[in-house]
Amino acid sequence: MKKALRIVVTVILIILLIGGLFYKIFWNAQVDFVVNETTFPLSTEQKLEDFKYLFRTLEQNFPYFEVKKRQHGMDWLAREEEFASMIAGTSSDAEFYEALERILILLQNGHTNIIEPGVVYEDYARIYSGSTPWSQIYNDNRVRGAYDYWDTVIAKSDTLCLPVSFKYIEGEYYAWRNPVEPEGSPEDFGIPSGSRLCDVGSISVDDYVENLVYSRFLRYDRLRGKAKVNTLIIYSDSPVQLGLETPTGDRVDVVVEPGILSNTRSVGTGLPEHLFSTFKNEEDGIAYLKLPSFSTFYVDKDAPGIRTFLEEIKDYKSLIIDIRGNGGGSTQYWERNIVAPLTDKELTAKCYVLFRDSSYLKPFLKHKMLYHYLKLKDLNSLSIGDYSPEYYFSDGRGRYKEIVYTVGPNNPVGFKGKILLLVDNAVFSSSESFAVFAKTTGWATLVGTDTGGDGIGFDPIPLVLPNSGLIIRFPGEMGLNPDGAVNEEVSTKPDIYVEQTLEDFLLQIQKQDTGHDLASIMEYDTMLRKAFELAGSSY
């Protein structure tokens, strides 16, 4: 009996030992980071130490330096001295924070930014609670203490901008709304709504937008081969002369005084009951599901309502899923709530992720891959497409693995109709992975414009600066489409390209965008109207 007991105890101890080693080596491997006991405000030396640490870490880990050279001609690494001078020239902690923002925006990546103090930081700390490498940083007591300080430094402030914004339509910018006063209009400042913007000051509008790479996240218009912003707001603390072409074809120059735009720093506003909205056309058998976000907080919260809707429309001939403007959240949202109930077979999309060979990334990659981390392959053995290792990383050195999105049926509702996925260039992160999955598997037909990219891979990697305690996040991997193209660079092309037309945009202005029901919106929403036409056709 005693021998049997000893065997049982030995087995239990071995299991616990193996479990402990697995936990320590893979699940919650220690991240190499330091947070110093800092007395604020920061000295110039401390600011420079933080910058140098940030620069070296990104130099060794950030995957998109070559991509950004191709996209914007931006050699970020060659500007180290310029950036250091910017940091040294700051006279306060608030200016230091702003300088870091300007330096990071030059990387032109939507997953690279400072984690903002306040509600944004608290949300990330909540998302990454538990025992993970992410939690080691987000929930470190020293980091939390630093963020209590930064929450007082980065106070809400107002910004000056022109009281007219311009919408990018078919390659041009047209006067649209007053961003300062929602009830106001461009006409209040002598600018007929729908006027085309030709130049800003003495600079052509396209050159002006290209120069915004230093302050704004730019998108790329593949059809016209130029950088763009979807909505152009002109920030200025002094009057600006605008060169315009009115809807009647007249060329005018208008000097516009700036107004005060309230700071949009994130604040807690309470959570809605659910994110999705629906519409059913029973007569034509067309259903519509709008998903503006895949928020992690709504994966479970939205599941029952979406499930009920899908059961109600299971016999319809078409379903339109609208993810335009969806900036992502969690892949589980679309995997569990959308695809699993709508498919009757297992669907698989195979993509690739590339990594720099860096010690800093190891704890995060081990957590995501577990023992598969040991199976990472050398980049030189990758053979998809016609791309060389140097196309991805300048030194041709790195590692990669296949990443497979697999979704099988989960109590499917029995929907047999066609599915259209409505996309635009604001589709990003986990909503981008949904677009990649839908197109690669043929599960849905993509309708709209090119997407926003950077959706293949894992959670962004956090990096804490040792003196300030600020967290910078950045993508730890380069996601490749199934053909080997860089998803961040080429995104996902729709099966049927449709963009908003100028004619419909001018109609929207004329109607003052007052329509809230789907039928009214479709009058001027080119992409939505096309999706409904396709849903009723036999394409």
Side-chain angles (χ1 to χ4, degrees):
M1 186 67 180
K2 291 182 178 180
K3 182 178 180 181
L5 181 60
R6 285 199 300 270
I7 292 173
V8 171
V9 171
T10 301
V11 170
I12 292 173
L13 290 174
I14 292 173
I15 292 174
L16 291 174
L17 177 61
I18 293 173
L21 289 173
F22 179 84
Y23 174 84
K24 185 175 181 179
I25 294 173
F26 291 104
W27 185 259
N28 194 25
Q30 183 61 44
V31 181
D32 183 15
F33 73 99
V34 174
V35 183
N36 296 322
E37 294 294 335
T38 300
T39 301
F40 293 101
L42 299 170
S43 67
T44 298
E45 290 73 19
Q46 289 172 319
K47 295 175 187 175
L48 286 171
E49 284 176 4
D50 273 11
F51 164 71
K52 290 175 182 177
Y53 179 72
L54 169 65
F55 189 91
R56 292 288 165 254
T57 305
L58 291 179
E59 181 180 38
Q60 295 164 14
N61 295 275
F62 184 75
Y64 293 127
F65 289 122
E66 295 306 305
V67 170
K68 298 310 168 183
K69 287 179 186 177
R70 293 192 291 269
Q71 286 183 315
H72 301 289
M74 178 65 65
D75 189 346
W76 193 87
L77 292 174
R79 306 178 69 164
E80 180 179 5
E81 291 186 8
E82 174 191 343
F83 296 156
S85 295
M86 288 172 58
I87 296 297
T90 61
S91 59
S92 68
D93 286 349
E95 287 185 8
F96 170 68
Y97 185 98
E98 293 169 0
L100 287 177
E101 286 187 312
R102 290 196 301 273
I103 290 167
L104 292 172
I105 195 65
L106 286 172
L107 287 170
Q108 288 291 300
N109 174 261
H111 280 133
T112 303
N113 57 273
I114 305 174
I115 299 299
E116 183 182 303
V119 66
V120 174
Y121 166 71
E122 294 297 338
D123 280 349
Y124 276 93
R126 182 153 57 109
I127 290 171
Y128 293 111
S129 61
S131 298
T132 69
W134 283 263
S135 182
Q136 290 177 34
I137 290 178
Y138 282 108
N139 290 287
D140 182 271
N141 288 332
R142 296 162 299 176
V143 171
R144 182 169 291 279
Y147 264 81
D148 287 341
Y149 167 75
W150 287 104
D151 195 28
T152 66
V153 171
I154 312 304
K156 181 177 179 180
S157 60
D158 293 325
T159 304
L160 292 174
C161 71
L162 301 193
V164 57
S165 61
F166 297 86
K167 192 75 171 177
Y168 187 83
I169 304 290
E170 295 185 316
E172 303 286 353
Y173 294 89
Y174 294 91
W176 188 36
R177 289 177 174 166
N178 183 337
V180 176
E181 295 290 342
E183 301 301 321
S185 167
E187 276 86 357
D188 299 336
F189 304 91
I191 301 174
S193 292
S195 294
R196 181 174 67 90
L197 180 63
C198 302
D199 47 64
V200 180
S202 59
I203 305 172
S204 73
V205 65
D206 285 340
D207 287 343
Y208 179 84
V209 169
E210 188 70 45
N211 288 331
L212 291 179
V213 69
Y214 295 93
S215 59
R216 294 275 300 274
F217 180 65
L218 303 183
R219 301 191 182 277
Y220 187 74
D221 183 339
R222 172 175 57 89
L223 294 186
R224 299 167 183 93
K226 62 181 180 181
K228 68 166 186 172
V229 291
N230 291 334
T231 301
L232 176 59
I233 297 176
I234 299 172
Y235 296 94
S236 176
D237 56 4
S238 59
V240 178
Q241 179 173 296
L242 304 178
L244 302 158
E245 181 182 272
T246 68
T248 59
D250 297 321
R251 168 69 192 229
V252 296
D253 292 314
V254 179
V255 176
V256 183
E257 296 278 349
I260 297 177
L261 178 65
S262 294
N263 186 284
T264 55
R265 184 183 170 197
S266 299
V267 295
T269 57
L271 299 175
E273 181 180 354
H274 54 73
L275 298 177
F276 66 91
S277 57
T278 64
F279 171 82
K280 294 184 290 186
N281 183 331
E282 296 183 15
E283 182 179 349
D284 294 333
I286 302 174
Y288 173 81
L289 175 61
K290 173 69 175 177
L291 300 169
S293 170
F294 289 152
S295 169
T296 303
F297 301 124
Y298 282 83
V299 174
D300 295 323
K301 192 178 181 67
D302 280 358
I306 293 176
R307 174 80 193 191
T308 298
F309 171 72
L310 296 179
E311 289 175 344
E312 291 171 351
I313 59 96
K314 65 180 181 180
D315 295 323
Y316 280 39
K317 67 179 183 181
S318 299
L319 169 63
I320 300 168
I321 302 174
D322 189 348
I323 60 170
R324 291 177 298 170
N326 187 321
S330 171
T331 57
Q332 292 185 21
Y333 190 108
W334 61 263
E335 290 175 341
R336 289 164 46 182
N337 296 343
I338 311 301
V339 179
L342 286 173
T343 184
D344 58 3
K345 61 182 179 180
E346 186 173 273
L347 300 169
T348 298
K350 184 173 72 172
C351 304
Y352 302 85
V353 282
L354 279 55
F355 309 94
R356 303 293 290 164
D357 192 3
S358 159
S359 60
Y360 186 78
L361 295 178
K362 286 182 180 179
F364 303 96
L365 301 186
K366 287 179 178 179
H367 176 87
K368 287 296 183 180
M369 301 180 192
L370 301 179
Y371 63 89
H372 291 290
Y373 171 80
L374 303 174
K375 300 179 182 180
L376 284 173
K377 302 175 183 177
D378 189 270
L379 180 56
N380 285 290
S381 67
L382 181 65
S383 58
I384 52 170
D386 298 322
Y387 306 101
S388 68
E390 289 75 19
Y391 183 82
Y392 301 120
F393 301 139
S394 60
D395 59 6
R397 297 172 58 189
R399 295 186 293 173
Y400 80 95
K401 78 177 296 290
E402 295 177 354
I403 180 170
V404 180
Y405 295 99
T406 300
V407 184
N410 182 9
N411 192 19
V413 299
F415 182 79
K416 302 296 183 183
K418 55 190 175 185
I419 300 174
L420 295 93
L421 188 63
L422 196 51
V423 298
D424 65 5
N425 66 9
V427 168
F428 172 73
S429 194
S430 63
S431 62
E432 168 71 12
S433 67
F434 185 29
V436 172
F437 176 88
K439 182 170 182 177
T440 302
T441 61
W443 179 78
T445 299
L446 272 61
V447 179
T449 65
D450 294 7
T451 57
D454 204 13
I456 299 172
F458 307 130
D459 300 46
I461 305 299
L463 165 71
V464 61
L465 304 185
N467 294 315
S468 63
L470 290 169
I471 299 172
I472 312 297
R473 69 169 191 163
F474 64 92
E477 74 290 317
M478 174 185 291
L480 305 186
N481 290 339
D483 63 356
V486 181
N487 181 255
E488 162 79 348
E489 187 171 9
V490 305
S491 64
T492 302
K493 298 177 177 61
D495 299 299
I496 301 172
Y497 190 95
V498 184
E499 64 180 349
Q500 184 75 356
T501 66
L502 177 59
E503 180 182 5
D504 281 340
F505 172 69
L506 295 176
L507 179 61
Q508 179 182 3
I509 291 175
Q510 179 185 330
K511 290 179 171 290
Q512 298 182 346
D513 197 13
T514 56
H516 296 290
D517 62 287
L518 203 64
S520 298
I521 294 173
M522 259 199 297
E523 288 187 49
Y524 55 77
D525 189 331
T526 313
M527 299 161 72
L528 183 61
R529 190 168 63 247
K530 182 64 175 179
F532 269 83
E533 290 173 2
L534 292 167
S537 71
S538 57
Y539 68 92

